[in-house]
Amino acid sequence: MTRHSDDTRAEGSYGEGGRATGPASGSPDRPSTVLTRSPSLLPILAAGALRSPFKRPSATADFPRTRLVLPGLRIDLARLAAYERVCGFPTGEDALPVTYPQVLGFPVAMSLLSRRDFPLPLLGLVHTSIEITRYRALTASGEYELTVYIDGLVPHRRGTEVAVVTELRVGADVVWESVSTYLARHRTEGTGGEREQEKHGPLPGVAEWRLAGDIGRRYAAASGDRNPIHLYPLTARLFGFPRAIAHGMWTAARCLAAHGTPQAVLVRAEFRAPVLLPGTVTYAADGERFELCGGDRVHMSGGVHPLTGHTPAGAVS
């Protein structure tokens, strides 16, 4: 079960020799397993939770190299509409929000992270960042092929971080992809090269959002991510939180719905501190940058960067 970060940022680099960039990226020599349907999350998360106490996390451990492939993927329009409503995207359009393919890939990613041969414990895994690249507009009525694989492990000053790649294809073309990083905290010797952070002053506030206590439950119903830390105060307290906290991917989606994104775009978001529910936060933005803040605390920061010089291939049919 994953949760978003409390001031932990990505460090190091990923992949065996590094990933290629652009639509053709990936590791074609990895073995592939073709799925007949999207995995059911509840048994996956239960298995991952039961295996967690027996894991021995290490950045040098081996990890599953399999690419999980889900072909013939169609969008559940009712579930999409619920997602759009809770995140603030327009509803009723034949278009996928830039963050929605991550929801489609989440059960597949969790099936990899819960495997017996994955070295990091699923319980307590922290979502630290996501980078999304959308190469062209995506329709809600399209048919896609989804691929998920683990790109690598790197040492972090607080443990070990894993990068998980999700790709959406139409035919042979990658039309959308993401790299999510998750941190498993464990005792280390403090090694791990820290990535330099962009320095800038506070961004100007654009809007104040009052978040209802049921945001976590509404997002869970739309996304399928029913981690108990997001649902009720009682279940959140079992994991050390005073109240339920918002999903990290909800905070990113809500900010991107407010900010807007071009068709061909690179989106980055870092999850820095939990957002307690109910609560009040400030959406701040300036040009390509955006933040979600509570007082002087930055909960999430990110950027929206158009893919300059890239000609969108057109809407998916």
Side-chain angles (χ1 to χ4, degrees), residues 23 74 90 98 116 162 185 191 202 212 224 229-230 232 243 258 261 265 268 276 280 316:
R74 290 280 188 177
V98 66
R116 191 183 304 275
V162 57
R185 293 180 175 180
T191 58
I229 63 176
H230 304 301
Y232 299 98
R243 304 196 301 275
T261 55
V265 66
R268 293 189 177 100
L276 296 174
T280 301
V316 178

Side-chain angles (χ1 to χ4, degrees), residues 198 200 203 256 259-262 265-268 283-291 301-308:
E198 182 182 2
H200 62 78
L203 300 183
L256 290 168
H259 190 285
T261 55
V265 66
L266 170 66
V267 171
R268 293 189 177 100
Y283 165 66
D286 183 16
E288 295 179 341
R289 300 195 306 268
F290 62 87
E291 291 179 342
S301 64
V304 174
H305 312 284
L307 295 184
T308 57

Side-chain angles (χ1 to χ4, degrees), residues 2-233:
T2 62
R3 57 185 175 89
H4 73 285
S5 172
D6 52 352
D7 200 24
T8 52
R9 261 67 58 92
E11 300 172 354
S13 59
Y14 295 89
E16 303 159 78
R19 298 182 61 242
T21 60
S25 65
S27 304
D29 57 333
R30 292 171 179 262
S32 295
T33 298
V34 178
L35 307 176
T36 57
R37 58 182 175 82
S38 184
S40 177
L41 261 176
L42 185 58
I44 287 173
L45 297 180
L50 290 173
R51 291 168 179 158
S52 289
F54 304 99
K55 298 297 181 75
R56 297 294 179 265
S58 168
T60 60
D62 197 12
F63 56 89
R65 312 287 168 147
T66 304
R67 298 165 61 93
L68 297 183
V69 181
L70 180 62
L73 180 62
R74 290 280 188 177
I75 308 302
D76 182 330
L77 298 182
R79 184 176 172 188
L80 172 61
Y83 177 88
E84 291 169 334
R85 286 192 295 270
V86 73
C87 295
F89 291 106
T91 59
E93 299 180 0
D94 187 22
L96 291 183
V98 66
T99 50
Y100 195 68
Q102 189 72 16
V103 172
L104 301 175
F106 183 72
V108 183
M110 290 302 104
S111 69
L112 282 175
L113 300 185
S114 66
R115 281 174 49 152
R116 191 183 304 275
D117 56 348
F118 179 67
L120 307 183
L122 190 64
L123 277 180
L125 209 59
V126 179
H127 196 183
T128 53
S129 72
I130 187 168
E131 179 176 293
I132 294 172
T133 308
R134 182 173 64 188
Y135 296 99
R136 68 190 202 190
L138 308 178
T139 66
S141 56
E143 182 176 310
Y144 303 95
E145 179 180 276
L146 181 80
T147 301
V148 180
Y149 62 93
I150 296 170
D151 200 37
L153 306 176
V154 296
H156 186 284
R157 71 186 186 280
R158 297 185 181 180
T160 298
E161 208 161 37
V162 57
V164 180
V165 177
T166 302
E167 299 172 339
L168 208 63
R169 281 182 169 81
V170 174
D173 297 330
V174 176
V175 294
W176 182 100
E177 64 180 341
S178 74
V179 182
S180 267
T181 59
Y182 299 90
L183 172 67
R185 293 180 175 180
H186 58 85
R187 183 175 299 176
T188 71
E189 297 179 357
T191 58
E194 186 169 358
R195 185 177 300 171
E196 185 177 349
Q197 301 295 315
E198 182 182 2
K199 305 295 184 182
H200 62 78
L203 300 183
V206 175
E208 185 177 85
W209 297 336
R210 294 184 179 181
L211 309 183
D214 67 346
I215 285 290
R217 295 190 292 276
R218 289 172 56 203
Y219 184 83
S223 69
D225 182 0
R226 292 181 170 84
N227 188 327
I229 63 176
H230 304 301
L231 302 182
Y232 299 98

